[in-house]
Amino acid sequence: MKMQAIFSFLWFSLFFLTHNTNAAPKIPSKERDPTFWRAKAKEELKLTLGKKEINGVAKNVIMFLGDGMGVATVTAARIYKGQLNGNPGEETVLSFEEFPNLGLAKTYNIDRQTPDSAATATAYLCGVKGNYATLGVDPTVPRSDCIAQKGREVTSILDWSKTVGKSVGIVTTSRITHASPAALYAHTAERDWEGDADMEGVDGDCKDIAYQLIYDNADIEVLLGGGRRHFMLKNQTDPETGKIDSNKQRKDGRDLIKAWAADKDARNKFHTYVWNKEQFDNVDPRNTDYLLGLFEPSHMQYELERDKSGNGEPSLAEMTQKAIQILQKNEKGFFLFVEGARIDHAHHDTLPKKALDEVVALDAAVQMAMKLTNEMDTLIVVTADHSHVFNIAGYPYRGNNILGLVDPISEELGPMDGMPYTTLIYGNGPNYSNGNRTNLTGVDTTHKDFVFSSAVPMADETHGAEEVAIYARGPMAHLFQRTHEQNYIPHVMAYASCVGEYVTDCDRPIRSVASCPVSMITVIFVCILCSKHWMF
C-alpha cells in the first residue's frame, strides 16, 4: 500500500511537470515579510475602528442578487478574477467584499430544507417566507394550487417604493419572468407559469407571470432581461432567431410588447422597446421615461459567450448603468433590482468557469452602481438567494489555477487511484462516473464547456442549504450584522428608505448628495466672510 502511494505521488508529480502549462503566478515577495501582514492587519483594524454608521434615510436602494452565489462561489470567483489579472488570486477582493457591513441569511423555505429561487425571492423581496416554487404569495399557498392563491398575495419592496412615488426598475440576465425578478411583481402558486402556454389545464382564473407584468405593473420604468417568447404571439417570428417557439409563445392573442407600448402612448410617456445592443446603446436616458429590453427568447447569453456586436446584447454592467441613469432623474429616488442570474444556471450544469465569470460580471455591475451613486444617500445590498453543492477541495499550492488540477506536490499523498483531480468539485450533478473516475491527464479543465465531476448522479446539480452572505453599504447598512432570516432583508431596505410598513419612520435626515457641493461652497464662503469680519 505504501509503495502504491509513493508510485501515485511520483506519477502525479511527473504529470504536472509535463502537462501543467498554466504555471502558478509568483507569490509577491512582500508576503514573505511578517511586517507586511502586521501592517495590513493594523490598516484593516484602523479602518474598522473608524467605521461610522450612516443613519440617514436612503433616497435610493439598489439590490444585487447573485443567483446561486454561495460563499464557496464567492471564494472561487475572487481567485478566478485575480488570476485573470495575472495574480495568484487568493489576495484579490471583489468590490462588494469591501462593503463595511456583513451578515448571513438563512435560506430555507417553509416546506424545504434546501430552497428554490422562487420562495427565496418571496422572502428577500416581499418580507415573508413561502413554500417551494411559489411566488409572491403567503405560506398557506401550496405549489401549483391556483385556487388557493386568491387573496393570499403579498407585496414587494418594488410595490412599496412605487407607492411613495419612487421610480423602480428590474435588470436580470434571466428571463424577466423567471423566479427571482418575478417575485417583485407577480403572485402565483407556480413559478413555471411564466406564459399562458405554460398554464394549459390549470384550474382557476390565474394569470401568467408575463401577463401580470404588463397589465398589472405598468408603472415599472425599467425592465431589462431575456424572455421575449412569453410576450410574443404564437405565430410571430422572433426578430433575432427567425424562428417561432410554438410551445412557449402566447396563445391568447395578446401581443404584450405592443400592449406595453400602447399603455405608455395613452399616458404620453416617452418609451422605447429594444431587443439588441445597438438599439440599447442608442437609448438616451435623459429623455426616456420607460425602457423595455428583451434581448433573448429565453435567458440572456453567458458573459463568456456574449455577442458584443450591435446584433448582440448588453452586459450586466451596461444594463445597470442605463437603468440608474433613467431612474435617478426622479427627485424622490428609486429602487433597482439587479440579478446576475446565470451563476445559478452554470452551476446546475457543473460548468464552474461560466459560473465564476458571471460573478465577475456581477462585480463589474456593482462597481458601476458605486460609481454612479453616493454612499450617503444610496443603500446597496449584495446577496444571494441560495448556495450550490459546490466546493474547493484538496491542498493546492497558492496561485494554483482555480479551474485546474490539484498540484500533487502540495499533498503528502495523492489520490488513492493515482489519477489527477480538479480543485473544484460538486456534490451531485450530470458528470458522474459510477465510481470509476475519468483520467484527466491532458484534459483542458479550464475550458468553458468542461463539465466538472460530481459525487451523486443527477440530471442537474442541486442547490445547497447553507447560509449566504449579505454585503451592504449606505444608510442603515449596519443593520446587517449577524445571522438573519432571509425575509429580514427587505425589511431593512424598507426601513432605510421609509417605504412600506416603515413609511412613517422618517425622523432621520435625507442627505441630498446633489446639494452637498453647493452647501459646502456656502459654508466656506460664510467662513471667509466671518474671518474677514473678525480680522477687521
Side-chain angles (χ1 to χ4, degrees):
M1 185 70 181
K2 186 175 180 181
M3 288 300 296
Q4 180 184 0
I6 294 174
F7 174 78
S8 297
F9 174 79
L10 292 175
W11 181 91
F12 205 3
S13 300
L14 179 62
F15 165 79
F16 258 83
L17 290 175
T18 57
H19 291 84
N20 189 17
T21 56
N22 297 315
K26 185 178 180 181
I27 306 302
S29 59
K30 62 184 179 181
E31 293 189 12
R32 306 290 184 186
D33 185 350
T35 60
F36 165 79
W37 294 106
R38 295 189 187 104
K40 190 174 179 64
K42 288 178 180 178
E43 181 182 350
E44 185 173 348
L45 179 61
K46 182 179 179 181
L47 185 67
T48 304
L49 290 170
K51 185 180 77 171
K52 290 183 172 57
E53 296 179 353
I54 302 175
N55 286 292
V57 172
K59 177 182 178 182
N60 313 308
V61 175
I62 305 174
M63 182 178 189
F64 285 91
L65 192 282
D67 198 314
M69 190 178 69
V71 173
T73 299
V74 172
T75 302
R78 176 198 310 142
I79 297 171
Y80 173 77
K81 178 183 176 181
Q83 292 181 349
L84 286 177
N85 294 317
N87 300 314
E90 295 82 1
E91 72 295 329
T92 303
V93 179
L94 299 168
S95 60
F96 50 85
E97 291 185 289
E98 296 188 300
F99 284 9
N101 302 283
L102 176 68
L104 293 173
K106 297 162 68 174
T107 64
Y108 66 92
N109 299 155
I110 288 292
D111 58 342
R112 296 290 181 102
Q113 194 172 69
T114 301
D116 89 308
S117 293
T120 51
T122 303
Y124 64 74
L125 293 173
C126 303
V128 297
K129 290 214 172 198
N131 290 318
Y132 186 89
T134 62
L135 273 169
V137 292
D138 73 29
T140 64
V141 179
R143 180 178 186 178
S144 300
D145 191 336
C146 169
I147 297 173
Q149 78 179 51
K150 299 296 183 181
R152 304 294 184 181
E153 300 85 358
V154 293
T155 56
S156 75
I157 188 166
L158 182 143
D159 300 308
W160 312 335
S161 300
K162 199 67 192 176
T163 298
V164 299
K166 293 179 182 289
S167 292
V168 295
I170 301 172
V171 173
T172 180
T173 51
S174 72
R175 295 187 295 271
I176 200 82
T177 52
H178 209 234
S180 302
L184 286 163
Y185 60 83
H187 312 283
T188 179
E190 177 54 66
R191 59 175 288 176
D192 291 336
W193 293 342
E194 294 186 51
D196 69 323
D198 301 319
M199 298 187 67
E200 292 185 351
V202 175
D203 293 328
D205 187 29
C206 295
K207 300 299 183 184
D208 62 272
I209 294 171
Y211 179 100
Q212 292 184 55
L213 175 58
I214 298 303
Y215 288 104
D216 300 337
N217 295 272
D219 278 338
I220 300 177
E221 282 87 350
V222 177
L223 294 164
L224 299 173
R228 274 194 307 266
R229 66 192 190 188
H230 295 302
F231 297 80
M232 299 171 58
L233 295 172
K234 65 178 181 180
N235 60 352
Q236 280 182 302
T237 301
D238 187 87
E240 180 183 9
T241 66
K243 299 178 181 178
I244 297 173
D245 189 345
S246 58
N247 292 322
K248 291 296 183 181
Q249 290 176 205
R250 303 199 68 80
K251 299 182 178 182
D252 60 2
R254 298 177 186 272
D255 184 329
L256 296 190
I257 296 171
K258 281 188 176 180
W260 177 86
D263 169 77
K264 310 306 175 279
D265 285 333
R267 294 191 283 138
N268 294 317
K269 299 294 184 181
F270 191 90
H271 61 279
T272 304
Y273 165 68
V274 298
W275 62 266
N276 64 33
K277 190 175 188 302
E278 181 179 14
Q279 295 170 346
F280 173 84
D281 290 343
N282 288 332
V283 172
D284 186 347
R286 294 171 297 181
N287 57 21
T288 300
D289 299 320
Y290 289 85
L291 175 61
L292 172 62
L294 299 174
F295 301 104
E296 285 288 336
S298 185
H299 301 306
M300 292 181 67
Q301 299 166 359
Y302 285 111
E303 180 60 26
L304 272 173
E305 300 170 338
R306 181 169 64 88
D307 179 357
K308 301 174 184 176
S309 71
N311 290 324
E313 56 196 50
S315 68
L316 187 62
E318 290 169 337
M319 292 192 292
T320 300
Q321 178 183 23
K322 191 85 74 175
I324 292 174
Q325 289 171 337
I326 292 172
L327 299 176
Q328 67 186 182
K329 294 182 297 183
N330 188 337
E331 293 182 355
K332 294 182 179 180
F334 64 85
F335 170 80
L336 174 63
F337 175 79
V338 180
E339 182 193 21
R342 307 224 63 191
I343 302 166
D344 177 72
H345 302 159
H347 273 325
H348 280 308
D349 292 333
T350 63
L351 297 171
K353 182 168 186 174
K354 290 182 177 179
L356 304 186
D357 200 72
E358 291 298 302
V359 177
V360 174
L362 178 69
D363 182 57
V366 174
Q367 292 181 59
M368 179 61 71
M370 293 168 64
K371 178 181 176 182
L372 295 176
T373 61
N374 189 289
E375 187 175 11
M376 298 306 295
D377 73 350
T378 301
L379 171 64
I380 299 180
V381 177
V382 181
T383 188
D385 47 356
H386 54 73
S387 183
H388 277 266
V389 290
F390 166 79
N391 220 320
I392 306 170
Y395 299 96
Y397 274 124
R398 170 81 180 280
N400 195 57
N401 193 320
I402 191 64
L403 296 166
L405 306 174
V406 176
D407 186 341
I409 301 175
S410 66
E411 300 187 298
E412 293 183 9
L413 296 174
M416 295 176 66
D417 59 11
M419 291 191 295
Y421 65 100
T422 55
T423 302
L424 304 180
I425 59 172
Y426 288 90
N428 56 45
N431 189 11
Y432 175 74
S433 54
N434 198 27
N436 298 312
R437 292 200 310 119
T438 301
N439 191 333
L440 297 177
T441 302
V443 176
D444 182 10
T445 61
T446 68
H447 191 276
K448 65 182 178 67
D449 293 319
F450 178 76
V451 180
F452 277 57
S453 62
S454 57
V456 178
M458 298 189 74
D460 296 295
E461 180 264 3
T462 71
H463 297 166
E466 72 270 23
E467 285 72 42
V468 295
I470 311 167
Y471 308 88
R473 72 167 220 170
M476 311 312 295
H478 54 277
L479 296 179
F480 296 110
Q481 57 178 323
R482 59 185 181 85
T483 301
H484 304 283
E485 291 286 359
Q486 195 168 36
N487 68 296
Y488 173 76
I489 296 173
H491 286 268
V492 172
M493 295 190 294
Y495 178 78
S497 56
C498 298
V499 302
E501 297 180 35
Y502 308 96
V503 71
T504 59
D505 294 317
C506 282
D507 55 350
R508 293 164 279 130
I510 299 178
R511 293 176 171 84
S512 179
V513 175
S515 64
C516 282
V518 176
S519 300
M520 185 61 68
I521 291 171
T522 303
V523 170
I524 295 171
F525 180 70
V526 171
C527 290
I528 292 173
L529 287 179
C530 290
S531 64
K532 287 185 177 181
H533 175 73
W534 292 328
M535 288 174 64
F536 295 101

